[in-house]
Amino acid sequence: MVSFINSHQSIEHRSGSITNQAHTGNFFLGMRNIARKGIHYWQKLNAANVPAELIENGQNRVIDASLTLIRERAKLKGELVRALGGALASSSLLGVPLGHNSSFLQGPAFAPPRIREAIWCGSTNATTEEGKELNDPRVLTDVGDVPVQEIRDCGVDDDRLMKIISESVKLVMEEDPLRPLVLGGDHSISFPVVRAVSEKIGGPVDILHLDAHPDIYHSFEGNKYSHASPFARIMEGGYARRLLQVGLRSITSEGREQGKRFGVEQYEMRTFSRDRHILENLKLGEGVKGVYISLDVDCLDPAFAPGVSHIEPGGLSFRDVLNILHNLQADVVAADVVEFNPQRDTVDGMTAMVAAKLVRELTAKMSKMKN
């Protein structure tokens, strides 16, 4: 079996990774400051009357180069999967390392490489619980990351950045049978991803959203692209027919009002024991062209996943989540795993392994082989 296809397999095992937490924290802080300085630098150029055309042309070149890399990698992986034959649907990882729309900590920007490292770290085998082999490119490929920080460093604003993310997702979907499995990043990425999926398949999707929070504020702290608002943008845009939110335990009156406004089915943890049978026997997607799964790692109780920005006790167990996913009857056309924060993953990469396991099991749910 061809092995080079998963080119983001870990170059180094956990034993060779940076383990000094203070050093790691300084690294993350430095990277975030670099990104902020880049934005401020371009704002100063605008203020200094540097020709707008010069800046825009430069931005366009960077964006075109970024999309070209995603396009060509997706094309290569799609060609290989088709040449191997037998795949009806194949999961393909796409990283979106975005953290600046987080209202608290921005560490999720650094999650995609940590998740990849954990997937391939060697501490476990490459077989999912349902028996699918991740080493088979017909099951899982990887097209790399959208270079979010490099694009922002050129002064590109969020309106344009969200369109770039959507376009990147569409480039993956153009290479049948690839289906995007997106690694966040904070939860703001779900809006451009779902938008792209809906537009590409030609209609709304049903969404299964697992999270401690409903993320449906109209706008949070004045930011319409906040990680607390993606599902408001999704529902306003008509990109989802049905939205089920599971694991909720930090929900405000606005969250409930917005839920009623958009007809969201909200399942709170305080009634989980009553709702368990329903949630472990879901059937979604009838009458639409596919189902989307958005999995915020903080849907889990922090005992299972402490490496998140917003720690909310009283959440789902890891097996609760797997039972919901494994038993779900649906054609899952795309998914995301978001809000893992490596800066808080202090227990020897425990949450990275949890996020990686979620990715592995979502891969098995999305990929399909001919009988």
Side-chain angles (χ1 to χ4, degrees), residues 16-42:
S17 301
I18 299 172
T19 55
N20 184 297
Q21 292 299 319
H23 181 78
T24 305
N26 290 336
F27 169 76
F28 288 141
L29 180 61
M31 290 297 291
R32 189 169 76 181
N33 287 339
I34 289 171
R36 285 178 172 174
K37 287 178 181 177
I39 294 293
H40 295 159
Y41 172 72
W42 286 99

